[in-house]
Amino acid sequence: MISQNFTFDSGLFGFFYRILRPIEWLMTYVMVYCHKFLTFIGFSSGPGVAWVLSVVLLVILVRLLILPLFIKQMMSMRKLQAIQPQMRKIQNKYKGKTDQASKEASSREMMKLYQDNHANPAGSCLPALIQSPIFMTMFYVLSAVPYIARGKREPLGAFTLKISKEFEQTQIFGIHISDNLTTAQGAGKIVIVIFIALMCLTMFYSQFHNTRKNMPRASMEGSQYRMQKMMAYIFPVMYIFSGVAFPFAVLIYWLTNNTWNLGQTLWQVRRMPTPGSPAAEEKQARDRVRENSRREKAGEPSLEDEALAKAKEIQERQLESGASHQRQQPKRTKSKRKR
C-alpha cells in the first residue's frame, strides 16, 4: 500500500523541491506533450506503453539539453586526470610540512600547475551541480504521480487527477508503472529485481570502465585511485536499497539515465581518452592502423616506412657531415716574433 503522506513534500527535501517547483511544473508538460506526440504517431492513447516511452523521452530530452555541460565536464576532468602525477609530486614535496610558508608555496605551485595546463579544479564539479536539480526534479515528479492519482497530493502542472490516474494505470511487463517491489505481484517482483540489477550493473560498469581505462597509468596507484575504485563498487550497492522502495516509473527513469551515462562513458573513453591512459594508447594504435590503411589505398608509404626513410635520411646527412668535417684540414697560423 502507498503511504498516506508524500514524504518528499516535507522536511529538508520539501524545502528543496519547493524551490524547484517551476522546473517540476515544466517537466510535467514535457511528459504530457511527449505522450500526445506518441499517440499522434500511432501509439494508443490512455494507459499504455506511450506513457513509458514518455518517461524515456523526457530523460533523453534533458540529457540532450545538458550535453554541452557534459562536454565541458569531460574536458575539465581529462585535464585534471592528466596532471594527477604532477599534483602528487607537489603534495609529496610538502607532505608533513605544516608551517605557513610551506602551505603558501604548495598553493602557489598548484595554482601555477592549473594555469599552465588550463585546468580548473571546479570545472568538473560545476556542471554536475547544475545537472543535479534537473535530475532531482525528474525523480520528484515521477514519485509524486501515484499520490496525485489517489488524491493524496494536489495536481502538479499538467498532471491533473485524470492524467495521473491514466499514468498510474499503465502496465508494462505485467506490472503497474506505479508499483514498487513491495506492492508488485508475482512476476512483477521479478521484473523490478531485473531492472534494479540492470541499474546497478550499468552504473558499476560505467565507473569501472572509466577508472580502468581512462586514467593515466601514473595515477593508477595511491589512496585516491583506491578510493575511486571503491566508489565504483559502493554506489551501485546503494541503488539496491533505494530501488526497492521507489515506483517502477522511477526505475525506468534511472535505468534510462544510467544507460545514457554508460553510452557517454564508452564514447568518451574510446574517442576522447585522457592523455597517458590505457585508452589513449589503444586509440593511438587504432589511429595508426587506420592511417596505414588509408595510405595503402592511396599508394603512399606506411607510417613505419616513412619513419624508416626519415631515419635513413638523417643518418646519411650525419655521415656526409662527418666526412666533410674530416676532409677539412686545420689551418695553422705562424706568428712572427719580433726581435
Side-chain angles (χ1 to χ4, degrees):
M1 289 292 294
I2 189 171
S3 62
Q4 294 297 315
N5 298 316
F6 186 43
T7 55
F8 289 160
D9 278 341
S10 59
L12 184 62
F13 283 115
F15 171 75
F16 283 112
Y17 284 126
R18 279 192 293 273
I19 295 176
L20 299 173
R21 195 54 49 86
I23 307 176
E24 297 162 7
W25 182 89
L26 177 62
M27 282 193 174
T28 61
Y29 278 94
V30 172
M31 285 186 64
V32 169
Y33 279 105
C34 284
H35 182 264
K36 289 182 178 180
F37 168 75
L38 291 168
T39 56
F40 175 75
I41 63 175
F43 287 89
S44 59
S45 59
V49 70
W51 278 115
V52 177
L53 294 178
S54 296
V55 175
V56 175
L57 285 178
L58 176 61
V59 177
I60 293 173
L61 287 173
V62 171
R63 296 306 303 236
L64 288 174
L65 286 174
I66 64 175
L67 189 59
L69 293 176
F70 163 75
I71 295 173
K72 182 178 180 180
Q73 181 184 21
M74 178 183 65
M75 298 301 293
S76 180
M77 289 182 65
R78 287 180 72 233
K79 290 177 180 178
L80 288 174
Q81 287 175 339
I83 63 174
Q84 281 293 324
Q86 297 161 271
M87 291 173 62
R88 191 159 51 249
K89 286 181 180 179
I90 296 175
Q91 291 168 353
N92 292 335
K93 180 180 178 181
Y94 296 97
K95 186 177 181 180
K97 297 180 180 180
T98 57
D99 58 287
Q100 189 63 29
S102 296
K103 291 180 180 179
E104 291 177 358
S106 176
S107 180
R108 283 196 304 271
E109 290 186 29
M110 281 289 190
M111 289 301 299
K112 186 176 186 305
L113 181 63
Y114 292 143
Q115 292 172 357
D116 291 345
N117 292 273
H118 305 287
N120 182 3
S124 59
C125 301
L126 184 60
L129 292 176
I130 297 173
Q131 294 175 34
S132 296
I134 298 174
F135 293 125
M136 287 175 62
T137 301
M138 294 171 69
F139 180 78
Y140 176 88
V141 170
L142 294 174
S143 299
V145 170
Y147 292 85
I148 299 172
R150 302 180 193 188
K152 301 183 184 299
R153 190 198 184 284
E154 69 274 9
L156 176 62
F159 272 97
T160 61
L161 180 63
K162 178 183 176 182
I163 291 178
S164 297
K165 285 183 176 180
E166 183 180 297
F167 183 90
E168 190 190 23
Q169 291 168 5
T170 294
Q171 289 190 19
I172 183 172
F173 305 124
I175 179 175
H176 281 92
I177 201 170
S178 59
D179 280 339
N180 58 30
L181 188 62
T182 58
T183 60
Q185 301 296 321
K189 292 182 180 293
I190 299 175
V191 172
I192 290 180
V193 169
I194 292 173
F195 265 69
I196 294 173
L198 290 174
M199 284 163 40
C200 295
L201 286 172
T202 49
M203 183 180 191
F204 165 75
Y205 189 73
S206 178
Q207 294 182 352
F208 176 76
H209 185 69
N210 188 62
T211 303
R212 182 171 60 96
K213 289 280 190 179
N214 204 35
M215 292 185 65
R217 292 191 182 277
S219 299
M220 291 184 176
E221 56 185 23
S223 58
Q224 186 172 1
Y225 177 66
R226 287 194 295 271
M227 181 66 69
Q228 288 179 322
K229 286 182 67 177
M230 189 180 301
M231 289 169 60
Y233 290 98
I234 292 176
F235 281 158
V237 174
M238 293 171 60
Y239 265 39
I240 296 175
F241 298 100
S242 52
V244 167
F246 294 122
F248 189 50
V250 177
L251 302 186
I252 294 172
Y253 144 66
W254 258 348
L255 180 57
T256 305
N257 185 62
N258 287 2
T259 303
W260 182 285
N261 279 335
L262 177 59
Q264 280 188 164
T265 300
L266 293 175
W267 178 86
Q268 174 195 351
V269 171
R270 183 174 178 83
R271 301 298 299 271
M272 300 182 67
T274 302
S277 65
E281 295 171 3
E282 293 174 5
K283 183 178 184 300
Q284 187 177 13
R286 288 195 306 271
D287 292 344
R288 194 174 193 87
V289 171
R290 190 179 301 112
E291 176 63 14
N292 281 337
S293 178
R294 184 198 67 79
R295 289 175 174 234
E296 184 179 359
K297 292 178 181 177
E300 300 174 356
S302 66
L303 290 170
E304 292 78 11
D305 292 340
E306 186 178 89
L308 183 61
K310 287 182 178 179
K312 287 182 178 179
E313 184 179 349
I314 292 172
Q315 186 178 17
E316 290 174 358
R317 287 178 180 175
Q318 290 175 343
L319 291 173
E320 290 177 1
S321 176
S324 175
H325 179 73
Q326 290 177 358
R327 283 195 298 268
Q328 292 180 358
Q329 298 297 328
K331 296 180 180 179
R332 295 181 181 178
T333 56
K334 296 181 179 180
S335 57
K336 294 181 179 180
R337 186 182 300 173
K338 293 184 179 180
R339 296 181 179 177

